[in-house]
Amino acid sequence: MVSLHHPSPLGSGPRPGARETIVLLAALMALNAIAIDAMIPALEDIASHLGVVEENRRQLVIIAYTIGFGVGQLFWGPLADRFGRKPMLTAGIAVYVAFAFLCSAAPTFEMLIIARAFQGGAAAASRVIVLAMVRNLFEGEAMARVMSLVAMVFMVVPVLAPSIGQAILVIGPWQSIFWALGLYGLAVGTWAFLRIPETLRPEHRRSLGAADLLEGARAVVSDRQSLGYTLAQTALFAGLLAYIASIQQIVFDVFKRPELIGLVFGAVAAPMALASFTNSKLVGRFGLRRVAHSGVVAFALLALGHASVATLWGEGLAGFVVGQALVLASFSFCSANMNTLAMERMAPVAGMASSIQGVVGTVLAALAGFAIGQAFNGTQIPYLWGLSICGATGLALVVLTDRGRLFEKLQDAHAPAPRAPAHQAG
């Protein structure tokens, strides 16, 4: 088991063990997955109830949340670096809960989309602060293993969430899903408030002055490893978001099996969870780069292969599910490792780094994923080729970042990290 330490916590609050910490961090990050995936079975009901005629507009329920989630990360990181991880996490979850209930009361589709964007912006606190906490508590490959274990628990949510959404729709209207999101946020927020300690070191507490923020941002975007792996992760994440935005229409309209949406989503997500668990074992043996590079190569080749087979010979629903399970399982060997590599040298500016990387990664990925989803033409082919482009772009960015040296443990990986900005809070 990964050892856990709390470096100079600001308070004397409770300090959970490693297992509870990992499960709690995963539960916090699952706020986002369940807010997206539980909605998928309800998109048709939402569109019907709120008078949405154009089918592709349903995707905005997913995309608006994701864009809000991306933009919101820009604010939570600096605030967490100034005021501490715990109070900002508590505030973010409280706002998330409030907007979940507001979504349930939206009288129009436009109001729902606005509320979803703000709900995503509030949920961004969990992503930014969880990554900053993991960076505060762990180093190097231990950090990658923890991120993989968090991701493993996190990946179980997509397996269950669509089925949970369907079950809720059996006993209540689509608004009931938002009530469930609010109650879940309230429960996990209370757990975090009672059990999680402050992890921000006093010497890393920073002001919100413009000079300090700009200096911290410069440290993040000027670091080749931070920027390169953030952009590579963005390309692959765009493919995942395109899948989430498109899967309801593909299952309903292409394969004509709406009753199988939960099973299809689970069949693709379950290998992702297994791959995340496997990744936590592999990084200690083979290293971050080797596993991450293997994952992105597999993603690119499998996505291209699936698109080619479907275009040239066609496929049934079973073939589609198998192909997507293989491609997106490869994503699990990239995600945690690329996040770790992007954050590896960012300890002095962890909150700012998590914010900037999250904004870039989420907003650009959401826009690209939305563009791929909007290309839906009654077949899965535009989506599959869009996924292939995402994989090829991610691979090209990794090659450029590490100067063509794939599968190597690079010596410069342990070069001195950027200095903390000189303008520290008093």
Side-chain angles (χ1 to χ4, degrees), residues 45-129:
D45 287 353
I46 291 172
S48 176
H49 185 264
L50 298 179
V52 178
V53 176
E54 185 182 349
E55 291 185 356
N56 282 4
R57 288 190 70 207
R58 302 173 191 171
Q59 299 174 12
L60 289 172
V61 177
I62 305 298
I63 299 300
Y65 177 94
T66 307
I67 291 176
F69 176 71
V71 174
Q73 294 176 70
L74 184 63
F75 303 99
W76 291 112
L79 290 172
D81 280 346
R82 175 63 183 93
F83 298 108
R85 315 300 189 210
K86 184 170 182 173
M88 290 301 98
L89 179 64
T90 302
I93 295 176
V95 177
Y96 171 94
V97 170
F99 274 100
F101 291 126
L102 284 174
C103 284
S104 71
T108 66
F109 187 71
E110 290 73 20
M111 290 297 295
L112 173 64
I113 296 306
I114 293 171
R116 280 287 281 175
F118 278 100
Q119 185 191 20
S126 64
R127 189 266 181 193
V128 168
I129 295 171

Side-chain angles (χ1 to χ4, degrees), residues 72 74 76 81 111 121 124 133 143 156-157 206 208 236 244 255 263 283 316 341 363 367 383 418-419:
L74 184 63
W76 291 112
D81 280 346
M111 290 297 295
M133 285 178 167
M143 178 182 170
V156 171
V157 174
R206 301 174 53 223
L208 294 175
L236 302 186
I244 294 172
F255 297 112
L263 181 60
V283 290
L341 288 165
V363 174
L367 293 174
Y383 159 70
R419 289 189 308 108

Side-chain angles (χ1 to χ4, degrees), residues 128-159:
V128 168
I129 295 171
V130 165
L131 285 184
M133 285 178 167
V134 172
R135 182 61 192 87
N136 293 154
L137 294 171
F138 304 97
E139 299 283 345
E141 291 174 359
M143 178 182 170
R145 290 196 296 273
V146 170
M147 283 303 300
S148 294
L149 292 170
V150 169
M152 179 191 68
V153 180
F154 171 68
M155 290 296 181
V156 171
V157 174
V159 178

Side-chain angles (χ1 to χ4, degrees), residues 11-52:
S12 58
R15 304 184 189 183
R19 288 182 176 85
E20 183 182 354
T21 297
I22 290 169
V23 174
L24 175 53
L25 295 177
L28 288 167
M29 292 196 63
L31 281 170
N32 304 300
I34 197 169
I36 294 173
D37 301 327
M39 301 308 305
I40 290 173
L43 293 180
E44 190 171 27
D45 287 353
I46 291 172
S48 176
H49 185 264
L50 298 179
V52 178

Side-chain angles (χ1 to χ4, degrees), residues 27-404:
L28 288 167
M29 292 196 63
L31 281 170
N32 304 300
I34 197 169
I36 294 173
D37 301 327
M39 301 308 305
I40 290 173
L43 293 180
E44 190 171 27
D45 287 353
I46 291 172
S48 176
H49 185 264
L50 298 179
V52 178
V53 176
E54 185 182 349
E55 291 185 356
N56 282 4
R57 288 190 70 207
R58 302 173 191 171
Q59 299 174 12
L60 289 172
V61 177
I62 305 298
I63 299 300
Y65 177 94
T66 307
I67 291 176
F69 176 71
V71 174
Q73 294 176 70
L74 184 63
F75 303 99
W76 291 112
L79 290 172
D81 280 346
R82 175 63 183 93
F83 298 108
R85 315 300 189 210
K86 184 170 182 173
M88 290 301 98
L89 179 64
T90 302
I93 295 176
V95 177
Y96 171 94
V97 170
F99 274 100
F101 291 126
L102 284 174
C103 284
S104 71
T108 66
F109 187 71
E110 290 73 20
M111 290 297 295
L112 173 64
I113 296 306
I114 293 171
R116 280 287 281 175
F118 278 100
Q119 185 191 20
S126 64
R127 189 266 181 193
V128 168
I129 295 171
V130 165
L131 285 184
M133 285 178 167
V134 172
R135 182 61 192 87
N136 293 154
L137 294 171
F138 304 97
E139 299 283 345
E141 291 174 359
M143 178 182 170
R145 290 196 296 273
V146 170
M147 283 303 300
S148 294
L149 292 170
V150 169
M152 179 191 68
V153 180
F154 171 68
M155 290 296 181
V156 171
V157 174
V159 178
L160 302 175
S163 297
I164 293 172
Q166 279 188 317
I168 292 173
L169 291 176
V170 170
I171 61 175
W174 60 266
Q175 292 92 337
S176 302
I177 297 179
F178 287 108
W179 303 338
L181 293 179
L183 293 174
Y184 175 75
L186 186 62
V188 75
T190 301
W191 181 16
F193 179 77
L194 294 175
R195 294 292 295 161
I196 205 163
E198 179 59 66
T199 65
L200 178 63
R201 291 179 181 270
E203 64 269 24
H204 288 169
R205 185 179 287 259
R206 301 174 53 223
S207 77
L208 294 175
D212 194 17
L213 294 176
L214 288 173
E215 192 172 351
R218 190 180 303 114
V220 177
V221 300
S222 64
D223 184 85
R224 183 187 187 94
Q225 181 172 313
S226 169
L227 183 61
Y229 277 103
T230 295
L231 293 176
Q233 171 72 348
T234 299
L236 302 186
F237 188 43
L240 179 62
L241 289 179
Y243 167 79
I244 294 172
S246 304
I247 188 61
Q248 185 264 339
Q249 287 174 283
I250 291 174
V251 175
F252 280 47
D253 301 337
V254 178
F255 297 112
K256 311 297 183 184
R257 299 300 301 270
E259 75 279 5
L260 296 181
I261 182 66
L263 181 60
V264 168
F265 210 87
V268 174
M272 295 177 71
L274 179 61
S276 293
F277 176 76
T278 304
N279 182 69
S280 70
K281 306 297 182 181
L282 293 180
V283 290
R285 181 174 180 182
F286 298 106
L288 286 171
R289 279 178 170 76
R290 289 174 180 170
V291 178
H293 293 174
S294 298
V296 72
V297 169
F299 187 108
L301 293 178
L302 289 168
L304 177 61
H306 188 179
S308 299
V309 168
T311 301
L312 295 174
W313 294 286
E315 64 179 352
L317 179 57
F320 175 82
V321 169
V322 171
Q324 289 303 285
L326 291 172
V327 175
L328 296 180
S330 301
F331 176 83
S332 296
F333 291 105
C334 306
S335 180
N337 298 329
M338 286 185 176
N339 280 335
T340 301
L341 288 165
M343 288 288 290
E344 189 175 35
R345 291 157 42 82
M346 297 290 108
V349 287
M352 175 65 78
S354 184
S355 282
I356 292 176
Q357 292 168 5
V359 170
V360 171
T362 308
V363 174
L364 293 183
L367 293 174
F370 182 64
I372 295 170
Q374 290 298 293
F376 179 77
N377 62 356
T379 77
Q380 75 276 34
I381 301 303
Y383 159 70
L384 292 177
W385 283 107
L387 189 66
S388 299
I389 293 171
C390 292
T393 303
L395 177 58
L397 287 165
V398 167
V399 171
L400 289 173
T401 299
D402 280 335
R403 298 180 172 91

